[in-house]
Amino acid sequence: MPDPDRLALMLSTLCFLGAFAAAAYRVMVAPYRGTWPHHGLMLAGFLGQCWVLAIKGKELGRCPITQPWELLVFISWGVVMMYWLVGPAYRVSLMGIITAPLVWIFQVLALILQGTIPPQTGDSIFRAPAKIDPWLEWHATVSLLAYAAFALAAAAGVLFLFQDRQLKSGHPHRLIFNLPPLRNLGRGLVGLLHVGFILLTIGIISAYFMEKWPNALKLGASWAVWAAYLGILAYHWRRRWPQRRLAEVAALIFLLPLASLWIVSRH
Amino acid sequence: MPLFATGLNHTTATISLRERLAVREAEVPEVMAALRDQPGVEEVVLISTCNRVEIYAAGSEPQSVLPYLDSRFGLGPDVSKLYRHVGDEAARHLFRVVSGLDSMVLGETEIFGQVKTAYAKAQEVGATARTLNKLFQHAFRVGKHVRTSTHIQQGATSVGGAAVELAEKIFGELRDSTVMILGAGEMSRRTAQSLQSRGARSVIVANRTHERAVELAAEMGGRAVHYDAWPEEVKIVDVIISSTSAPHHVITPDHVRAALRRRQGRPLFLIDIAVPRDIDPACGEFDDVYLYNVDHLEGMASEARARREKEILRCEKIIDGEVTTISRQLAIPPGVVPRAASSPESTASASTTATATHPASATPA
């Protein structure tokens, strides 16, 4: 029998796979719209994530972002939060078709990474720190939510590019007519970049209120991500990038937050 | 209870005969009441659209509606041209009609609403009771089921429809979209009308003969611009439909490049329905510009038609099952030759038609 956190993660991952299947089936037969099975499975998956994070949070006595697999679960949780909060605001039911597979991939990776951790002996190797720094918790949480928004923007960008390529061909596949319209996708993408950028700005600023500042490498990585997204948005504000170009950039630039996560989790 | 359906449609009768049998909206209640008052008829629904006139009747002798139709509309020998479906075949016919399998454009959805309206009217005048109420309510469920579980209504089957489908793919809702027509031809007009029917509000027309542009703009509730001024408008339009008779490219990459600078990243959909082509194919290479010519659109439409044809068998299977269900529920007898109508002639034709009405082949789509 796996540990409760692993079991919860497995169940949650299965729910997201189911949600993806429900969304994919819907897209095969009709224009995409969130369906009850899809929403139900997304909710079940989300509850599973909360369960994992609650177990780990209790065990660690702090926000469970101490290892790469926890980071992935936390970002996945953030992605699903965006699905509930940002999706309806931008009238992009498209988030369902993007969110489920993205979260599923993240959580499969998390399960693999979690599986590589040697079994613990005796007491948990993770112990609650003597004192919790609320600014540290806030900084980490908000920054990871920002990364979740960037992840969704990247996935929206990939979906945009797929459809754009089909439409440009002059012989579009029938499937694309069941996917969200390009303009909605483009608007959702810009919205997510803004949400992510604002959250990241708040996250980085809050780092300076921490009792002990993060090391230079971590801060540098965060600032680099921030600067990259500022550059994209500034250019977009000034020149109005074509939607296709913005989709390409949003998809590619996400490698930067991914790399910075790797740095942050290693140091 | 015995069930009977009779009528004619675009495949079984000429337009002049359909005109003779067509019932004006205001007359529908009166005709339905008269039909219901025929001996042996207890319930009636009359459907009258531009492509079909059909009567569904239930009662001990439901085919008694025929003599009334003959006398009221003066059909004479043409009464033999009415198709007749008896018992479960009548139910099957109704299910095929609401599913769009009997329509001119296979799988079209308008007929569903038309049948619903006809049924509501029949209810209003008290022309329906248990049998037809159950039958029609079941038919609406069947219609929805067929449409949602098959691809019978998927894809646009005309050039205009394909253009609308693409525009909605690019822009989502067309409410805020502006359409420019370059060259006031019939094809452009129809395509623009299709876009308008889906919400496009603003139409700009440019034509070499300015008077023609003004005329078309007035007809479409848009505005006309002088032909030389069209490039200026590109910065505000979302869709350009071009069908001039120019022997060279009218829209060139230079036009598009200049417009894109001022479009603030908004996509542009170019529809070239002219032969020879009006739009330089290189225009489609710009980011956020989508160029479709008449071959692309016709290709999409014919693919959709072929796809719909392939779905017929799946639809018929669903309908088969539903006919069995409703026949059991309403104790509808199987389709048999109707008993004598008003004249020997009509009886003879009734036998032929009733036996010929096999579900998949009798009533062409």
Side-chain angles (χ1 to χ4, degrees), chain B residues 13 20 26 56 58 100 103 118 120 144 147 175 184 208 210 220 225 228 244 263 281 290 334 363-364:
Chain B
R20 268 165 61 200
Y56 293 84
S103 297
K144 277 184 196 161
R147 288 176 205 285
R175 270 201 312 250
R208 280 203 186 277
H210 187 61
M220 305 201 74
V225 295
D228 296 340
T244 74
R263 292 181 58 81
Y290 303 96
T363 39

Side-chain angles (χ1 to χ4, degrees), chain B residues 185-207:
Chain B
E186 177 56 20
M187 191 79 159
S188 312
R189 189 181 66 87
R190 270 194 280 160
T191 309
Q193 273 176 340
S194 301
L195 290 164
Q196 272 191 317
S197 72
R198 297 304 289 261
R201 275 190 195 157
S202 188
V203 176
I204 299 169
V205 186
N207 194 54

Side-chain angles (χ1 to χ4, degrees), chain B residues 43 45 92 120 177 191 199 210 232 239 306 345 348:
Chain B
E43 303 176 47
V45 174
R92 184 188 307 281
S177 303
T191 309
H210 187 61
E232 268 306 298
V239 183
E345 180 187 285

Side-chain angles (χ1 to χ4, degrees), chain A residues 28-30 91 160 163-164 166-172 174 176-184 240-245, chain B residues 151 154-156 165-166 168-173 175-177 238 264-265 267 284-290 292 296 300 307:
Chain A
M28 301 295 245
V29 297
R91 298 183 67 204
F160 184 101
Q163 296 197 68
D164 177 81
Q166 285 287 318
L167 279 170
K168 285 275 188 189
S169 72
H171 305 285
R174 193 63 235 152
I176 73 156
F177 291 97
N178 293 340
L179 292 171
L182 286 189
R183 186 153 65 179
N184 294 8
R240 285 278 159 192
W241 242 324
Q243 291 192 91
R244 180 173 171 273
R245 196 54 58 84
Chain B
H151 296 159
Q154 207 179 59
E165 203 174 30
L166 286 162
E168 286 181 333
K169 172 75 258 173
I170 297 166
F171 301 106
E173 288 180 3
R175 270 201 312 250
D176 306 322
S177 303
D238 300 295
Q264 301 213 308
E285 285 163 24
F286 289 98
D287 284 342
D288 295 348
V289 176
Y290 303 96
Y292 278 73
H296 293 137
M300 283 175 65
R307 253 194 321 272

Side-chain angles (χ1 to χ4, degrees), chain A residues 59-144:
Chain A
E59 187 181 310
L60 298 170
R62 54 161 298 186
C63 189
I65 44 175
T66 57
Q67 298 188 62
W69 78 267
E70 291 171 358
L71 282 174
L72 282 169
V73 175
F74 199 89
I75 291 178
S76 302
W77 178 82
V79 168
V80 183
M81 281 289 276
M82 294 290 158
Y83 164 78
W84 298 118
L85 301 177
V86 181
Y90 286 95
R91 298 183 67 204
V92 271
S93 53
L94 61 108
M95 291 306 173
I97 190 78
I98 300 172
T99 312
L102 185 68
V103 170
W104 179 69
I105 290 169
F106 279 3
Q107 292 196 178
V108 166
L109 286 175
L111 277 168
I112 294 169
L113 289 173
Q114 192 193 31
T116 60
I117 298 172
Q120 296 163 26
T121 48
D123 285 348
S124 168
I125 54 168
F126 304 110
R127 286 180 184 285
K131 193 181 170 200
I132 302 283
D133 180 354
W135 284 108
L136 169 65
E137 304 298 306
W138 172 251
H139 156 76
T141 306
V142 175
S143 302
L144 287 176

Side-chain angles (χ1 to χ4, degrees), chain B residues 15 149 233 322:
Chain B
I15 189 159
S149 48
E233 304 290 338
E322 298 293 345

